[in-house]
């Protein structure tokens, strides 16, 4: 089959392209502003990339067009379509589908090789938890397939097919596992359901749930409804692994659940996690016991920071047990977990008398994620070291000004904060006014760098947070600090 992917350089669509190519399909694709590293990764797989969405790409005559959710029916100021290729596809009557739909039909649930899908959903921690779960299954010798919205450093790739079951192994207990990051964002311009509705998992993790994606959801209740749509697709023999500390997820379950439940969380007594379906922890984030039924069943010792990663680990361990990996084995394997690129990733250090300045890169962009990331770093470096939090409100939700009032709260544990306000329609300086002299706001990346360099001291930890490239700030900052 020849598939032509519109929006191929997105994280999800790029991973789908890699899976399709590995499965033996001919893959071509297009995007605007084709750029590394995804462009290099795709070309290394022999995938032809085309710049832009010109209508003449219909001459490729693929068997099906796979449409990314970056594509729309939008018009430019002059009235011309923003995506001429999509208009040509519609006019011609050619076959097209969404990325999640194609993935479900040709990879996750192909009749000749159906998979046991383990889906990881949640506002925060999807990428990290998906990577943890894939690594646990790999360490157990299961050779899972996976599709992750990042690059797990244990694997070095964001997607792979993994070991395929034979055509005769079609019952639920023989299906080879496939771990997928299950995003609640909409599927395509012609399918406004959340992506994860297509995946039909047998094991589903509901990690947490807060309001996000204000560009497509009106309120938290609307997102809760989508999460319940996911719960509805899990069979009775399946398992829903749910964070018991989240009231929003309890509201999701209150709408109905027809599968077995495994609940995890930190407040064991308050949430009844010492019961038969409960998972909790005892100890600090870098060295803790895993408790099931109130009894220790494993221990995690690693270099990963943050209470949020304790929760991520609990979710992954509970999900792995559903496919036969013991909690002790799962916990032990996490000792070798190397995290994900752009998750508290050290980008470099600059030597200074009295202590190196360390620069980190992290994907945090939602206020809760920013707070938990800063908290994790604080726990690692102690109370005497300074944390300089450098961030840009870049997500669609933050650009719309939703949750902007939570930013001072999210940065409470940082010694100094630096906000890149370029492209915002709201006044970041006014929003952050309560932080006083602890915060500086700048309209360009170069200005932010100059502000950080002016105050950086020996031993500082500079934490850069964004869900985008942040204008290459990490390398520029390291170079400026070294001058």
């Amino acid at each position: 089959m020849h598939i032509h992917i519109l929006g191929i350089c997105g994280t999800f669509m790029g991973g789908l392209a890699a899976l399709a190519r590995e499965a033996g399909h001919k893959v071509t694709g297009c995007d605007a502003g084709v750029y590394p590293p995804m462009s290099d990764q795709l070309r290394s797989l022999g995938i032809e990339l085309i710049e832009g969405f010109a209508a003449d790409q219909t001459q490729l005559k693929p068997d099906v067009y796979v449409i990314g959710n970056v594509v729309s029916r939008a018009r430019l100021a002059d009235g011309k379509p923003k995506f001429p290729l999509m208009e040509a596809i519609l006019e011609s009557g050619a076959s097209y589908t969404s990325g999640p739909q194609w993935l479900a039909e040709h990879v996750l649930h192909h009749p000749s090789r159906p998979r046991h899908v383990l889906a990881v959903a949640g506002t925060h921690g999807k990428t990290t938890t998906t990577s943890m779960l894939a690594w646990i299954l790999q360490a157990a010798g299961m050779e899972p397939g996976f599709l992750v919205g990042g690059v797990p450093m244990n694997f070095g790739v964001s997607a792979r097919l993994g070991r395929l079951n034979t055509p005769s192994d079609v019952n639920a207990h023989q299906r080879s596992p496939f771990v997928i990051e299950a995003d609640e964002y909409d599927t395509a311009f012609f399918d406004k359901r959340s992506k994860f509705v297509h995946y039909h998992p047998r094991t589903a993790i509901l990690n947490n749930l807060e309001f996000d994606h204000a560009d497509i959801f009106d309120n938290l209740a609307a997102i809760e409804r989508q999460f319940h749509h996911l719960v509805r697709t899990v069979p009775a023999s399946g398992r829903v692994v749910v964070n018991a500390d989240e009231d929003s997820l309890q509201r999701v379950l209150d709408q109905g659940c027809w599968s077995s439940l495994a609940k995890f969380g930190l407040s064991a007594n308050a949430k009844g996690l010492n019961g038969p379906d409960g998972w909790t922890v005892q100890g600090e984030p870098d060295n803790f016991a895993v408790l099931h039924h109130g009894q220790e069943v494993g221990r995690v010792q690693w270099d990963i920071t943050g209470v949020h990663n304790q929760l991520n680990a609990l979710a992954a361990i509970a999900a792995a047990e559903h496919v036969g990996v013991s909690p002790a084995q799962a916990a032990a394997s996490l000792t070798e977990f190397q995290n994900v690129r752009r998750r508290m990733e050290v980008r470099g250090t600059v030597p200074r008398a009295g202590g190196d300045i360390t620069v980190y890169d992290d994907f945090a962009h939602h206020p809760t994620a920013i707070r938990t990331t800063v908290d994790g770093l604080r726990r690692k470096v102690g109370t005497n070291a300074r944390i300089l939090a450098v961030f840009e409100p870049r997500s669609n939700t933050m650009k719309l000004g939703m949750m902007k009032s939570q930013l001072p709260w999210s940065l409470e544990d940082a010694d100094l904060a630096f906000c890149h306000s370029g492209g915002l329609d709201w006044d970041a300086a006014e929003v952050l006014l309560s932080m006083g002299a602890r915060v500086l706001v700048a309209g360009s990346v170069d200005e932010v760098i100059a502000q950080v360099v002016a105050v950086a001291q020996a031993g500082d930890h500079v934490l850069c947070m964004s869900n985008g490239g942040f204008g290459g700030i990490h390398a520029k900052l390291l170079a400026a600090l070294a001058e």
Side-chain angles (χ1 to χ4, degrees):
M1 176 186 292
H2 175 193
I3 67 173
H4 187 62
I5 301 176
L6 281 68
I8 194 171
C9 285
T11 304
F12 172 81
M13 299 301 277
L16 184 150
L19 291 171
R21 186 70 182 87
E22 187 181 352
H25 299 289
K26 178 181 178 180
V27 182
T28 55
C30 64
D31 213 328
V34 174
Y35 55 87
M38 185 59 75
S39 59
D40 292 339
Q41 177 179 314
L42 293 173
R43 287 193 175 107
S44 72
L45 295 172
I47 295 173
E48 178 188 352
L49 301 182
I50 299 172
E51 173 67 36
F53 296 90
D56 61 4
Q57 292 175 50
T58 54
Q59 296 173 15
L60 293 170
K61 299 186 184 303
D63 296 293
V64 64
Y65 295 93
V66 181
I67 313 301
N69 65 6
V70 69
V71 177
S72 71
R73 302 293 304 279
R75 300 277 163 168
L76 301 173
D78 61 4
K80 293 180 180 178
K82 185 176 180 180
F83 298 94
L85 176 56
M86 191 67 240
E87 299 301 318
I89 293 168
L90 293 171
E91 289 292 347
S92 69
S95 177
Y96 67 91
T97 188
S98 70
Q101 184 71 35
W102 191 93
L103 182 72
E105 293 175 354
H106 296 275
V107 177
L108 303 182
H109 301 291
H110 192 281
S112 69
R113 50 181 187 277
R115 313 295 292 262
H116 182 123
V117 177
L118 301 97
V120 181
T123 308
H124 316 293
K126 290 188 295 293
T127 300
T128 303
T129 308
T130 306
S131 301
M132 287 182 188
L133 181 53
W135 175 244
I136 289 170
L137 301 189
Q138 176 68 19
M142 301 178 74
E143 301 178 48
F146 57 82
L147 175 54
V148 186
V151 181
M153 289 189 278
N154 289 88
F155 296 101
V157 294
S158 62
R160 77 174 191 190
L161 285 179
R163 184 175 64 201
L164 297 174
N165 46 339
T166 63
S168 61
D169 294 338
V170 295
N171 71 64
H173 300 292
Q174 295 172 312
R175 294 174 180 174
S176 53
F178 193 99
V179 187
I180 186 165
E181 181 172 332
D183 185 6
E184 72 272 24
Y185 208 80
D186 62 358
T187 297
F189 76 86
F190 51 86
D191 182 352
K192 306 313 286 183
R193 295 174 295 169
S194 291
K195 290 178 183 175
F196 56 40
V197 174
H198 294 276
Y199 300 154
H200 300 174
R202 304 193 75 82
T203 309
I205 292 176
L206 310 184
N207 226 10
N208 40 62
L209 179 52
E210 292 188 69
F211 183 63
D212 199 4
H213 306 310
D215 51 327
I216 61 170
F217 294 116
D218 292 333
N219 49 44
L220 180 57
I223 310 178
E224 290 173 2
R225 189 67 176 170
Q226 290 297 321
F227 270 66
H228 189 248
H229 290 167
L230 174 62
V231 171
R232 289 179 181 180
T233 67
V234 182
S237 61
R239 174 178 292 184
V240 178
V241 181
V242 61
N243 186 340
D245 294 332
E246 295 272 327
D247 292 340
S248 55
L249 291 178
Q250 185 57 53
R251 290 193 294 270
V252 170
L253 296 180
D254 288 346
Q255 297 178 51
C257 182
W258 302 268
S259 313
S260 66
L261 277 175
K263 296 182 179 181
F264 67 95
L266 299 179
S267 49
N269 294 328
K271 299 295 182 180
L273 293 172
N274 288 322
D277 62 351
W279 297 78
T280 189
V281 299
Q282 189 174 68
E284 292 299 311
D286 62 340
N287 185 350
F288 58 92
V290 176
L291 306 182
H292 190 208
H293 301 178
Q295 303 296 315
E296 182 172 337
V297 292
R299 177 164 289 274
V300 176
Q301 294 178 277
W302 56 4
D303 293 327
I304 310 298
T305 62
V307 171
H308 58 294
N309 279 317
Q310 284 183 293
L311 290 168
N312 293 340
L314 276 179
I317 291 167
E321 191 211 31
H322 191 227
V323 290
V325 182
S326 73
Q329 184 179 8
S333 69
L334 288 177
T335 302
E336 305 295 327
F337 180 65
Q338 299 174 28
N339 215 330
V340 184
R341 288 178 186 164
R342 301 210 62 201
R343 300 310 188 272
M344 199 60 76
E345 181 181 0
V346 175
R347 293 295 298 268
T349 58
V350 178
R352 289 282 174 88
D356 294 349
I357 298 175
T358 306
V359 175
Y360 304 82
D361 181 16
D362 197 272
F363 196 74
H365 54 281
H366 186 285
T368 300
I370 292 172
R371 185 178 177 90
T372 55
T373 299
V374 176
D375 174 72
L377 182 57
R378 175 60 69 200
R379 288 169 178 265
K380 179 178 181 179
V381 304
T383 57
N384 293 327
R386 293 203 316 169
I387 295 176
L388 280 57
V390 184
F391 70 101
E392 61 172 354
R394 182 185 175 277
S395 70
N396 289 332
T397 301
M398 293 305 295
K399 283 183 177 179
L400 289 169
M402 306 297 292
M403 298 178 292
K404 63 185 179 183
S405 62
Q406 297 180 37
L407 284 173
W409 165 80
S410 72
L411 296 159
E412 280 180 348
D413 213 22
D415 295 279
L416 296 171
F418 304 83
C419 176
H420 176 223
S421 62
L424 299 180
D425 292 330
W426 45 273
D427 189 341
E430 181 179 350
V431 168
L432 298 165
L433 189 62
S434 63
M435 296 184 67
R438 291 175 51 232
V439 67
L440 291 171
V441 177
S444 72
V445 170
D446 287 342
E447 288 180 82
V448 172
I449 291 170
Q451 290 173 342
V452 174
V453 170
V455 300
Q457 301 174 5
D460 281 351
H461 297 266
V462 183
L463 173 58
C464 301
M465 294 174 284
S466 172
N467 67 341
F470 210 157
I473 193 171
H474 316 90
K476 294 176 181 178
L477 189 53
L478 285 165
L481 288 167
E483 289 180 355

